[in-house]
Amino acid sequence: MEFGVFAQLFVPRFELEQDPQAEHKRIFRNIEIVKAADRTGFKYVWCPQHHFLLEYSHMPGPEAFLGYCAAQTERVHLGSAILNITPPVNKPQRVAENVALLDHLTNNRFEFGTGRGSSTTEVLGFDIPSVDITKAMWRETIREIPKMWKDRPYSFEGEFFRMPERNVLPKPHGPLHPAIWVAGGSPGTFTEAGEMGLGVFCFAIGRPTDMEPFVSAYKGAVTHATPVGDYVNDNIMGVTNMLCMEDRDKAFETAANMGMNYYSSLAYHWLDNVPRPKNLPEWPNKIPEPTPEEVERLSAEGFIAVGDPDDCARSVQRWVDLGFDQLTFSPTTNTLPTEVVIESMELFGREVIPRFDKDPEHSTTRYRREAAARLSG
């Protein structure tokens, strides 16, 4: 099991109302979390692309944010989760150029996570007529971008974009290209990701065991993958909450008061293309925050990783047993002070990560290196 963190750029309304510089401060709070990840044993930092989603995420440009982070870090991989590759949002040739450039600027530490958006607010804001059409847009584009990285001119006449013959530059730093991922929310998407040889990531909406059909669908398909790129990225990444403290009771109490359900309420409010649990309050009504006792139960069942290092390790083990390859946490989607978040990451890095991740090499680096060796041999 490998570990990562999400730099989501959550900007709660109450902070904006109290401080006109809250958005700016939140941007640089995320930078501090990225730097902490680099020095505490986390292998990945993921950054989304979102538009127009007040409070939930003010992060429109993963390529800009991660380019800045590249100069602030040395070891951690920096990934887009997602980079929206529907042509009205991002021209595919521009995506190919930026990914290749980031491969150079990060010295092979960039992870190319893709998707199509999860919100009608975003999709319709780019004059796309319907969310329904974005899947076909993604399917067309995901197969073409790797072709643009080849050392020859490229041209295309498709349904959603066209390009006259040009040589797309720069090429990836190499060998080969960055690992490719896609966001998934259904067993069907997990199957498709596996068939294409893409890593897949998802946001937990329940116990790890609730994801068993997704994992089975992916692992069954990826063994027979025909990769859209140069190699298979056999990886499933899940996202959940984590708070690790020496005093487990203090961790449960702190987590109960850090606003994690406020953020979940925002997610269900904005991301209307994501499956919605029954009986969920309609915005502006919010999911009630859990009690410390409920936090302890949620951690024990693997919903979240909260408590002392042993509690967190037991939660992580549930994801390991299910077949996940990476677990990523969202340390900035709450109202905790930055120093509390970093202290939690430091303790988790010292006491929990070494129990599960004993390989200093990133799995995506290994896949890329081994594929390059096979192709050159």
Side-chain angles (χ1 to χ4, degrees):
M1 175 69 82
E2 298 179 301
F3 297 92
V5 297
F6 234 93
Q8 180 77 352
L9 194 46
F10 163 55
V11 185
R13 184 188 295 272
F14 71 84
E15 287 188 10
L16 285 168
E17 291 172 345
Q18 295 171 2
D19 182 358
Q21 290 297 308
E23 185 179 63
H24 181 80
K25 291 176 181 177
R26 278 276 175 169
I27 292 171
F28 283 91
R29 174 182 173 175
N30 278 264
I31 296 293
E32 291 305 311
I33 299 305
V34 171
K35 291 159 65 175
D38 190 51
R39 64 177 182 265
T40 56
F42 290 82
K43 278 185 172 176
Y44 301 85
V45 167
W46 296 96
C47 170
Q49 179 183 343
H50 284 301
H51 305 273
F52 326 124
L53 306 187
L54 181 65
E55 295 189 85
Y56 176 72
S57 178
H58 294 208
M59 184 72 81
E63 65 276 25
F65 181 82
L66 296 175
Y68 183 91
C69 291
Q72 308 293 314
T73 57
E74 297 179 355
R75 180 192 58 84
V76 73
H77 280 208
L78 305 164
S80 56
I82 62 163
L83 209 163
N84 189 320
I85 62 170
T86 59
V89 178
N90 286 303
K91 292 291 185 183
Q93 50 269 59
R94 291 286 291 119
V95 172
E97 292 169 338
N98 278 328
V99 170
L101 183 58
L102 281 164
D103 195 38
H104 285 271
L105 295 174
T106 64
N107 195 26
N108 297 125
R109 292 187 289 133
F110 183 69
E111 305 276 330
F112 180 35
T114 71
R116 59 193 180 97
S118 300
S119 167
T120 55
T121 300
E122 296 178 294
V123 169
L124 302 184
F126 284 93
D127 200 29
I128 299 173
S130 168
V131 172
D132 296 336
I133 201 173
T134 59
K135 187 72 169 185
M137 289 179 172
W138 175 84
R139 285 179 176 139
E140 180 173 275
T141 304
I142 194 65
R143 296 184 180 280
E144 294 305 310
I145 288 175
K147 298 174 186 177
M148 299 180 191
W149 292 325
K150 300 299 183 183
D151 192 20
R152 56 179 179 267
Y154 169 88
S155 63
F156 184 68
E157 289 282 343
E159 182 179 359
F160 300 108
F161 82 98
R162 59 188 297 274
M163 182 179 171
E165 186 174 282
R166 295 290 187 276
N167 201 332
V168 178
L169 302 168
K171 303 303 180 187
H173 180 38
L176 309 182
H177 55 73
I180 309 175
W181 301 70
V182 62
S186 69
T189 304
F190 272 61
T191 298
E192 186 173 15
E195 291 170 345
M196 290 183 171
L198 307 175
V200 65
F201 42 83
C202 60
F203 297 88
I205 57 174
R207 298 176 182 85
T209 51
D210 295 337
M211 301 298 298
E212 188 169 1
F214 298 71
V215 176
S216 297
Y218 179 82
K219 293 299 183 180
V222 77
T223 56
H224 307 290
T226 301
V228 297
D230 291 330
Y231 56 95
V232 173
N233 176 24
D234 182 358
N235 255 311
I236 304 178
M237 182 261 277
V239 182
T240 190
N241 282 294
M242 182 274 287
L243 183 64
C244 190
M245 293 181 163
E246 296 283 6
D247 185 333
R248 67 193 303 265
D249 291 331
K250 183 178 179 181
F252 299 144
E253 182 178 353
T254 301
N257 293 283
M258 69 182 187
M260 61 179 164
N261 279 355
Y262 181 81
Y263 190 77
S264 296
S265 298
L266 281 168
Y268 287 117
H269 167 56
W270 285 118
L271 306 185
D272 51 8
N273 198 35
V274 172
R276 182 184 180 88
K278 295 179 180 179
N279 304 318
L280 203 69
E282 290 286 347
W283 188 268
N285 297 315
K286 301 167 188 68
I287 304 169
E289 297 298 332
T291 65
E293 293 75 21
E294 288 170 334
V295 170
E296 183 176 5
R297 177 182 60 79
L298 291 169
S299 184
E301 295 181 2
F303 282 86
I304 54 179
V306 174
D308 63 21
D310 289 336
D311 290 308
C312 292
R314 282 191 290 271
S315 180
V316 169
Q317 187 63 51
R318 290 179 175 270
W319 295 85
V320 172
D321 293 343
L322 193 61
F324 276 74
D325 304 291
Q326 183 185 149
L327 197 55
T328 292
F329 307 116
S330 300
T332 62
T333 57
N334 56 56
T335 57
L336 293 177
T338 304
E339 58 269 23
V340 173
V341 172
I342 292 177
E343 287 171 5
S344 169
M345 292 172 62
E346 290 172 343
L347 180 59
F348 190 91
R350 288 195 309 271
E351 299 292 335
V352 182
I353 290 179
R355 305 187 197 186
F356 297 96
D357 188 1
K358 303 180 185 301
D359 186 349
E361 186 175 39
H362 296 67
S363 63
T364 50
T365 298
R366 183 175 66 255
Y367 290 142
R368 185 174 181 173
R369 174 177 53 78
E370 290 175 350
R374 287 194 301 271
L375 292 173
S376 64

